[in-house]
């Protein structure tokens, strides 16, 4: 498949490729240059990370048991893996 580079150095990925790979607006791609100059684009995901000190971790444990409000799903995933930041 041939694509054209515009004056800003951007390329447009054909819709068939975007659909096949699940690439949408805001998706992130990792660019790798292989020997011989081949360019490889690979979709990547970024996940939010929460780092807490011991005091913050204790407050989070208290909040978990209070169940006074509903937290966002992304935060629930992070809190399940929460640990103490050594710094």
């Amino acid at each position: 498949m041939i694509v054209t580079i515009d004056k800003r150095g951007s390329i447009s990925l054909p819709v068939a490729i975007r659909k096949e790979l699940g690439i949408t607006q805001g998706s992130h791609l990792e660019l790798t240059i292989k020997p011989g100059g081949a360019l490889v684009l690979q979709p990547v995901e970024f996940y939010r990370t929460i780092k807490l000190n011991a005091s913050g971790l204790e407050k989070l444990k208290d909040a978990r048991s209070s169940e006074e409000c509903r937290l966002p799903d992304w935060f629930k995933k992070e809190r399940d893996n929460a640990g103490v930041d050594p710094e």
Side-chain angles (χ1 to χ4, degrees):
M1 191 170 289
I2 296 177
V3 296
T4 304
I5 299 173
D6 69 16
K7 64 183 176 185
R8 298 181 334 181
S10 299
I11 62 169
S12 293
L13 296 176
V15 70
I17 299 293
R18 294 193 316 262
K19 283 184 178 180
E20 182 178 334
L21 297 175
I23 296 171
T24 59
Q25 182 177 346
S27 292
H28 297 278
L29 301 173
E30 179 179 11
L31 172 64
T32 306
I33 302 172
K34 298 288 186 180
L39 302 176
V40 177
L41 292 174
Q42 183 172 354
V44 294
E45 292 288 332
F46 287 96
Y47 298 97
R48 295 178 175 139
T49 300
I50 298 172
K51 293 185 179 181
L52 301 172
N53 60 21
S55 172
L57 185 58
E58 192 59 38
K59 288 178 184 178
L60 180 59
K61 288 178 183 176
D62 290 342
R64 285 179 185 163
S65 62
S66 73
E67 297 183 12
E68 292 182 10
C69 67
R70 188 177 183 301
L71 298 171
D73 291 337
W74 68 264
F75 189 83
K76 289 179 185 178
K77 288 179 186 177
E78 291 296 332
R79 77 170 182 198
D80 292 341
N81 296 315
V84 176
D85 185 2
E87 293 181 18

